[in-house]
Amino acid sequence: MKNLFISFFTLGASLVLNAQDKLMVNYESRMEVDADAMMKQFSANSTSNVDVKQFEKAILESMTRPTYYHLRIDQNESVFQQEERIQNEQPKEPGGVLVVMYGGGTGILYKNLQEQQSLRSQDAFSKSFLVRDELKKYDWKISKESKEILGYEVRKAEAIIDSTSSIVAWYAPKLPYKNGPAEYQGLPGLILELEVSRLMDDSPEKTIFLAESISVDKNQEPIKKPTKGQ
């Protein structure tokens, strides 16, 4: 029904959505790590002559520095991509070390929920690659716990990935897009916050995505699959 409009008014947040509307969602992502465990592991494996303590601190600061992404979605397709922001940071202490780390999220991730397929465009070793895969399916356990994000009521869901990894997601039932950041989806509402916990070499770490803004995408161009790469 092309003329069907759905209005959402929840705790001060409102979007008037047409069934065919696309959304643009901006996320901040950050890591939380066990600093003591990470520093201990680094010190044990380090063979460098640099000031180990200073280098450890620089790595920790770099790992926990926030990164930013945008997710463009419709009811069936999405493109998730890191935003490029200029880093003008300097060492916090005179003569200190500044380490800039780049994760694997600098490519483009396309998802098609109807076909249950993903396509990732990624640059590595001076080459461009396209990696096709099936969408991961998560055995979500939905709880009655709720809170508010950006004025929307969100509900909690949890899933186990494997023996060392788990997910906590907060999704908005009144934003009926069964999608979310990165490779996560499959809930009855848009995921506005996501926490992925992992145990890496006995050192716990978390990757967190939190929606900063949601808007109707005024770009009328259809969502397109990435084509760059082998």
Side-chain angles (χ1 to χ4, degrees):
M1 299 178 65
K2 293 184 179 180
N3 296 322
L4 175 63
F5 283 80
I6 307 172
S7 298
F8 302 129
F9 298 94
T10 63
L11 301 176
S14 63
L15 283 178
V16 179
L17 299 178
N18 185 285
Q20 304 301 318
D21 273 338
K22 302 177 184 66
L23 293 187
M24 182 68 77
V25 189
N26 294 299
Y27 292 91
E28 178 187 274
S29 176
R30 68 183 191 277
M31 287 186 66
E32 292 182 358
V33 299
D34 185 325
D36 292 337
M38 191 197 74
M39 299 304 189
K40 183 178 179 180
Q41 183 182 9
F42 179 79
S43 297
N45 296 328
S46 176
T47 58
S48 174
N49 292 324
V50 301
D51 187 324
V52 173
K53 291 294 183 183
Q54 194 176 70
F55 197 59
E56 288 173 351
K57 185 177 180 181
I59 288 179
L60 180 61
E61 290 175 354
S62 181
M63 288 181 66
T64 55
R65 186 178 297 123
T67 52
Y68 301 90
Y69 297 84
H70 60 256
L71 175 69
R72 185 171 183 242
I73 58 173
D74 61 21
Q75 293 292 339
N76 184 51
E77 297 175 282
S78 66
V79 171
F80 182 74
Q81 186 173 13
Q82 183 173 338
E83 296 180 1
E84 294 185 4
R85 298 195 181 184
I86 298 175
Q87 296 282 357
N88 292 320
E89 296 186 51
Q90 299 295 327
K92 293 184 178 181
E93 300 177 4
V97 178
L98 178 64
V99 177
V100 179
M101 300 180 69
Y102 298 94
T106 55
I108 299 173
L109 176 63
Y110 166 86
K111 291 187 290 188
N112 188 307
L113 302 185
Q114 184 175 359
E115 297 176 0
Q116 288 293 297
Q117 293 284 324
S118 69
L119 191 61
R120 185 185 296 274
S121 174
Q122 188 74 52
D123 293 336
F125 308 108
S126 301
K127 293 184 179 181
S128 296
F129 297 92
L130 278 175
V131 181
R132 188 183 303 274
D133 200 358
E134 293 184 1
L135 290 184
K136 297 178 182 178
K137 295 182 179 180
Y138 304 99
D139 185 16
W140 294 107
K141 306 296 183 185
I142 297 175
S143 76
K144 295 182 179 180
E145 189 174 348
S146 65
K147 63 179 182 178
E148 182 184 332
I149 298 176
L150 296 177
Y152 291 94
E153 180 192 20
V154 292
R155 298 177 185 173
K156 184 178 181 181
E158 300 176 273
I160 301 298
I161 301 176
D162 53 39
S163 60
T164 61
S165 306
S166 61
I167 324 167
V168 174
W170 295 88
Y171 69 97
K174 292 190 176 181
L175 293 174
Y177 297 78
K178 298 180 180 181
N179 217 323
E183 64 267 29
Y184 304 99
Q185 69 283 316
L187 284 164
L190 178 63
I191 298 173
L192 298 187
E193 183 177 349
L194 186 79
E195 180 182 292
V196 184
S197 300
R198 299 184 179 89
L199 187 63
M200 305 292 289
D201 297 323
D202 296 324
S203 177
E205 66 176 44
K206 292 180 181 179
T207 302
I208 299 169
F209 293 91
L210 180 61
E212 291 187 313
S213 64
I214 308 169
S215 60
V216 174
D217 186 5
K218 300 184 183 302
N219 185 352
Q220 298 301 314
E221 291 293 323
I223 294 174
K224 297 179 181 179
K225 297 180 181 180
T227 57
K228 179 184 175 183
Q230 301 177 18

